[in-house]
Amino acid sequence: MKHDLIIREPDLYFDSIHNELNNFLRDTLLVHSMANPLNVKKNSIWRPAIEVKQSDKNYKVKVQLPGVEKDDIEVELDNEFMTITAEIHEEAEQKEEKAKNERFHTSEFRYGRYQRTISFDHPVKTDESTAVYDKGVLTVTIPKVETENKEPKKLEIKEK
């Protein structure tokens, strides 16, 4: 395609690997007397998995947000970027367990804030974009601004 998606945030990929390595080390090596790993997890900002497809007319972005309520998702669009923010809150049942002085043996659930920014290489129509949330997957369709495909033009150089 003439306008392929350009990844403009390579540092974020390394951040993701770094965060996953930190999570692994924290979950396997952290001594419980030092800190509660669940509190560390709740205060982290997670990066949800995405899938971006494009055609001549639009971009289609899918974001995995399992366990997130529709009202806890926010999508912000401008001409070149889309930022998706979501939050997963701790369940009321778990708060009751804390009151009974119960504690987790193992928890791999991710509570807290999710955020992902996606950049586009082609201007988009923010006012015609749509978002649908179904079974933990947010699908955002963003139409591209139509541009004219003109043949290259040679300029005549004039003398002054």
Side-chain angles (χ1 to χ4, degrees):
M1 280 191 164
K2 184 177 178 183
H3 298 286
D4 286 335
L5 185 67
I6 298 173
I7 308 283
R8 295 185 181 157
E9 44 186 356
D11 293 342
L12 293 180
Y13 289 102
F14 291 111
D15 286 347
S16 178
I17 293 168
H18 185 257
N19 286 338
E20 291 300 322
L21 181 59
N22 279 345
N23 291 344
F24 170 76
L25 293 172
R26 180 195 63 232
D27 294 346
T28 56
L29 301 176
L30 186 66
V31 179
H32 294 288
S33 61
M34 291 172 55
N36 182 350
L38 294 176
N39 290 335
V40 175
K41 284 185 176 186
K42 286 182 220 167
N43 296 326
S44 298
I45 296 179
W46 305 102
R47 295 184 69 234
I50 64 168
E51 177 180 273
V52 181
K53 293 181 182 178
Q54 71 171 318
S55 67
D56 293 336
K57 296 184 179 189
N58 63 33
Y59 292 101
K60 184 175 270 189
V61 180
K62 289 185 177 182
V63 185
Q64 286 184 337
L65 297 167
V68 177
E69 296 293 329
K70 179 183 79 76
D71 295 335
D72 292 333
I73 303 171
E74 186 176 297
V75 179
E76 188 176 319
L77 272 168
D78 68 14
N79 288 336
E80 295 180 16
F81 297 96
M82 176 174 68
T83 300
I84 298 161
T85 308
E87 184 128 5
I88 296 181
H89 303 285
E90 187 177 12
E91 296 174 10
E93 176 183 317
Q94 292 169 343
K95 289 179 182 176
E96 291 173 13
E97 289 172 353
K98 283 183 182 178
K100 296 177 186 174
N101 201 20
E102 293 179 351
R103 59 179 187 223
F104 287 100
H105 178 270
T106 303
S107 177
E108 295 179 355
F109 285 15
R110 291 184 173 183
Y111 297 108
R113 189 171 179 193
Y114 286 73
Q115 185 170 1
R116 190 72 187 255
T117 299
I118 300 156
S119 61
F120 304 108
D121 67 334
H122 197 281
V124 295
K125 298 178 182 178
T126 57
D127 55 336
E128 296 179 23
S129 300
T130 60
V132 176
Y133 187 62
D134 183 40
K135 298 179 185 171
V137 177
L138 175 69
T139 304
V140 183
T141 304
I142 309 137
K144 294 180 179 179
V145 173
E146 295 174 17
T147 57
E148 296 179 26
N149 289 332
K150 293 185 178 181
E151 294 295 319
K153 178 183 175 184
K154 287 189 176 184
L155 292 177
E156 180 183 335
I157 302 172
K158 300 178 183 177
E159 287 189 32
K160 192 171 183 181

